Amino acid sequence: MTKMKLSANMKKVLNDQILLEASASNSYLAMASWCEITGYQGAANYFYAQSDEERTHMLKIVHYLNSLGTPATIPAIKAPVSSYKSLEELIKTALKNEQSVTKAIHHMVEITQKEKDHSTYAFLEWFVNEQVQEETKFETILQKFDLLGRDKLAIHEIDKLLAADAASVESDPPA
Ligand code: FEO
């Protein structure tokens, strides 16, 4: 059986998505490092795990393209922002990042529908669901600042919650 062929446009957006996932991984790594150096060890563990998770997202697309005989393009990644005013600002940035990733995924889904590319549509379904989870995760953390406050004690509590979440991210089955 001959392999399905991706359209030029589909190849482009999938390769662009490799860059987005790689950039997310890099950005979360920088966030983890900032948290670690600032004394938020729970948040640091959380973002180190999150960075690894984004790398698995990137790899999924690399493997998908390669499996169709379309060589994946491994991109250069820009240096991420390396310092933040507060943990809350950092989480807000992470949520914004996820929102733009969601937009890109939805855009790709629209292309698969237009092109009747059922295989890529099915492949992207996992990402659509994953994005709902990722946005919810960061929204839930942000709510904690409103619920618990922003003083040192509250941030310490939030850091502890993130430590517990980090343990669950690490134990997620590999994507
Ligand atoms: Fe892979 Fe968080 O988007």
Side-chain angles (χ1 to χ4, degrees), residues 21 24 28 50 53-54 57 97-98 101 127 130-131 134:
E21 303 289 350
Y28 293 151
Q50 194 65 42
E53 207 181 301
E54 295 300 348
H57 298 175
N97 184 47
E98 290 303 330
V101 170
F127 285 88
E130 176 70 10
Q131 282 313 116
E134 301 236 299

Side-chain angles (χ1 to χ4, degrees), residues 101-115:
V101 170
T102 303
K103 240 189 179 168
I105 304 263
H106 289 179
H107 177 62
M108 282 196 289
V109 170
E110 283 160 23
I111 295 172
T112 62
Q113 288 167 333
K114 252 187 239 156
E115 296 184 354

